[in-house]
Amino acid sequence: MQETFTVRLFKSTDLDQIISINHECLPENYTTFFFMDLYERYPETFIVVEHDGKIVGYIMCRIETGLSSLEKLGNPRKGHVISIAVLPKYRRQGIATALMQEAMKNMVHYKVKECYLEVRASNNEATTLYKKLRLKISRTIREYYMDGEDAHVMSRKLPFEPDSLNET
Ligand code: COA
């Protein structure tokens, strides 16, 4: 990612831009309350990328406790990526990778042992991105989305160590 992009924590004054990016990039949209609730509860994992004073991408997450989708982890705290998007003009420059890396790094603040997310079965771009970050498809949820599409659940253990991505 170019040096002109800044990765930083979300601020409440970013909200309008985040809502606009969310509407432009994804069919899953949320209320203002939902965005602000996630920010207030989990500020370390609500992250944006800024370029020339403008937000070009974001990630927001929720911390949950529940059965691990990975073996041997029991009932860990898990970091759930709720939404991630990058404006079309700024894609393929490593922005989503940087957002995911920062979110997984910061999940450790919440004593999280696993990161997971749902991705549309047809979303090959996002699935490739997550595989590069060592998330694996752990199961498929039939008709998870409102329009009937299936979701793949993808997950990986934490902590996240960027160096480990170079290992084969
Ligand atoms: N085609 C093929 N591979 C793609 C891709 C595309 N359009 N977009 C990303 N990838 C894969 C590539 O392997 C890429 O590495 P490379 O560019 O070195 O080949 C890798 O993912 C990392 O891409 P990156 O530049 O970090 O991603 P991005 O900033 O372009 O953002 C999304 C990726 C998915 C977040 C972005 O396309 C987006 O906002 N899509 C709409 C919203 C969405 O689908 N969100 C995910 C919901 S689960």
Side-chain angles (χ1 to χ4, degrees):
M1 197 175 64
Q2 289 173 32
E3 284 168 14
T4 53
F5 293 106
T6 306
V7 182
R8 63 162 175 82
L9 295 183
F10 169 87
K11 299 183 282 202
S12 51
T13 47
D14 300 328
L15 183 65
D16 290 347
Q17 290 185 79
I18 301 299
I19 290 177
S20 161
I21 297 171
N22 171 249
H23 278 259
E24 181 169 346
C25 300
L26 284 162
E28 290 75 39
N29 307 132
Y30 312 99
T31 61
T32 298
F33 174 83
F34 186 84
F35 284 104
M36 290 309 287
D37 185 52
L38 285 182
Y39 162 59
E40 278 157 20
R41 287 157 72 195
Y42 315 112
E44 301 285 342
T45 51
F46 199 151
I47 297 157
V48 303
V49 167
E50 191 176 320
H51 176 69
D52 278 347
K54 170 182 158 170
I55 310 292
V56 298
Y58 73 89
I59 186 168
M60 63 176 184
C61 310
R62 181 166 61 214
I63 308 305
E64 302 167 354
T65 307
L67 270 186
S68 170
S69 47
L70 301 165
E71 287 174 32
K72 297 180 191 158
L73 287 184
N75 234 352
R77 281 163 77 81
K78 304 190 284 190
H80 185 178
V81 177
I82 301 293
S83 187
I84 175 170
V86 174
L87 284 173
K89 191 174 152 200
Y90 298 92
R91 290 181 188 165
R92 298 307 289 272
Q93 298 183 67
I95 292 175
T97 301
L99 286 165
M100 281 289 297
Q101 290 183 334
E102 192 70 5
M104 290 196 288
K105 188 162 72 72
N106 287 1
M107 279 176 189
V108 174
H109 289 290
Y110 301 113
K111 301 190 175 19
V112 160
K113 296 238 164 31
E114 176 183 325
C115 169
Y116 84 100
L117 51 84
E118 294 88 13
V119 56
R120 284 178 180 267
S122 64
N123 194 343
N124 295 325
E125 299 82 18
T127 304
T128 305
L129 157 75
Y130 302 138
K131 281 186 177 161
K132 282 190 165 173
L133 291 162
R134 300 286 164 90
L135 283 90
K136 292 192 178 136
I137 297 175
S138 47
R139 66 194 171 100
T140 298
I141 308 175
R142 303 273 308 193
E143 299 182 10
Y144 175 81
Y145 293 99
M146 295 287 279
D147 58 9
E149 184 165 354
D150 297 349
H152 292 317
V153 178
M154 298 187 72
S155 49
R156 62 156 290 156
K157 278 188 207 172
L158 295 177
F160 172 74
E161 278 143 19
D163 289 349
S164 67
L165 297 179
N166 301 323
E167 294 162 12
T168 50

